[in-house]
Amino acid sequence: AQSVTQPDIHITVSEGASLELRCNYSYGATPYLFWYVQSPGQGLQLLLKYFSGDTLVQGIKGFEAEFKRSQSSFNLRKPSVHWSDAAEYFCAVAPGSARQLTFGSGTQLTVLP
Amino acid sequence: DTGVSQNPRHKITKRGQNVTFRCDPISEHNRLYWYRQTLGQGPEFLTYFQNEAQLEKSRLLSDRFSAERPKGSFSTLEIQRTEQGDSAMYLCASSLGTNSNQPQHFGDGTRLSIL
């Protein structure tokens, strides 16, 4: 069965600083990979997705993620964080032939002024 | 595109009562998913529909849970004889297409609190 690990439960960065959120997955083949963001009391918004091709994918709100097959990782990055980026971030995987997403436990991002 | 709509947003009920949640997917989406999210965790898959057919159910979906999607449009999730452990956010998502490379779009969820 596939699994997703987000090793950082909580990350604090200053506004304007760079950000990297880690995600590692366990799956026998290359899954479909996603990053979602969730604000308090809200649903999940898709930031970006990777299916195949270029391993560096661009998303909304200035986020990007890089798929590294050798490390089974799909880390999320942003060069300059804004206060509005404070939220919880979830990495998710979906095997090519399955229907459901498997989520990590999330990383809570705090942005200091 | 009005997004995925879930009602109610919050539900408070006493243990042992039955509750029903509704999800209205994005209109052209033929796939509909239910997830459960407990505090401090990521969402966990419960069940999935393609059109009106319920194709997959998680082991998390005990016999007290039932989901329907009549006519392949909106869906309902019912929990009978609620227990304390049912307290969670219930999220609905929808997607278009027959391949899992179509991203799922989530609603804002229904938060269930069991007294």
Side-chain angles (χ1 to χ4, degrees):
Chain A
Q2 65 271 15
S3 66
V4 179
T5 301
Q6 293 182 247
D8 303 306
I9 296 173
H10 194 180
I11 284 183
T12 300
V13 299
S14 297
E15 191 169 20
S18 63
L19 172 71
E20 182 169 22
L21 303 182
R22 295 183 291 166
C23 173
N24 293 95
Y25 67 90
S26 174
Y27 183 61
T30 300
Y32 297 97
L33 297 158
F34 306 83
W35 275 98
Y36 284 86
V37 61
Q38 185 177 35
S39 297
Q42 303 296 314
L44 286 82
Q45 181 183 22
L46 179 69
L47 287 176
L48 48 77
K49 60 187 183 293
Y50 173 78
F51 299 145
S52 63
D54 192 346
T55 57
L56 184 64
V57 294
Q58 303 296 320
I60 63 171
K61 304 185 179 185
F63 286 93
E64 66 178 26
E66 185 173 12
F67 168 61
K68 292 186 177 180
R69 184 191 307 273
S70 61
Q71 298 177 19
S72 297
S73 69
F74 188 56
N75 294 348
L76 182 71
R77 300 195 294 250
K78 186 169 184 177
S80 178
V81 171
H82 188 262
W83 64 266
S84 61
D85 294 326
E88 189 147 26
Y89 291 79
F90 292 96
C91 181
V93 303
S97 60
R99 305 291 187 259
Q100 68 267 33
L101 293 169
T102 298
F103 286 86
S105 55
T107 297
Q108 181 69 45
L109 174 65
T110 298
V111 180
L112 300 177
Chain B
D1 180 356
T2 58
V4 178
S5 177
Q6 291 189 246
N7 289 287
R9 290 295 311 278
H10 298 95
K11 180 69 177 179
I12 301 173
T13 192
K14 293 182 180 179
R15 183 170 56 90
Q17 298 295 305
N18 299 343
V19 294
T20 301
F21 312 139
R22 176 178 170 125
C23 171
D24 288 90
I26 294 172
S27 58
E28 65 270 24
H29 285 186
N30 60 347
R31 294 179 155 190
L32 188 147
Y33 309 78
W34 284 99
Y35 292 83
R36 182 175 70 187
Q37 184 179 22
T38 53
L39 201 60
Q41 298 298 317
E44 296 173 292
F45 170 75
L46 293 178
T47 190
Y48 147 71
F49 291 85
Q50 181 154 310
N51 300 312
E52 67 275 8
Q54 188 174 18
L55 297 187
E56 291 185 43
K57 292 196 292 186
S58 162
R59 285 174 291 179
L60 292 175
L61 211 67
S62 76
D63 56 4
R64 295 185 300 106
F65 288 70
S66 62
E68 296 181 341
R69 192 183 183 196
K71 303 178 183 179
S73 56
F74 71 92
S75 176
T76 58
L77 178 67
E78 181 183 16
I79 308 175
Q80 296 182 325
R81 305 181 303 281
T82 53
E83 301 174 355
Q84 292 284 351
D86 297 331
S87 294
M89 174 81 89
Y90 290 84
L91 293 164
C92 176
S94 69
S95 70
L96 175 66
T98 56
N99 297 317
S100 60
N101 59 351
Q102 297 296 323
Q104 295 176 28
H105 298 264
F106 284 80
D108 285 339
T110 294
R111 179 165 297 283
L112 174 64
S113 297
I114 306 298
L115 301 178

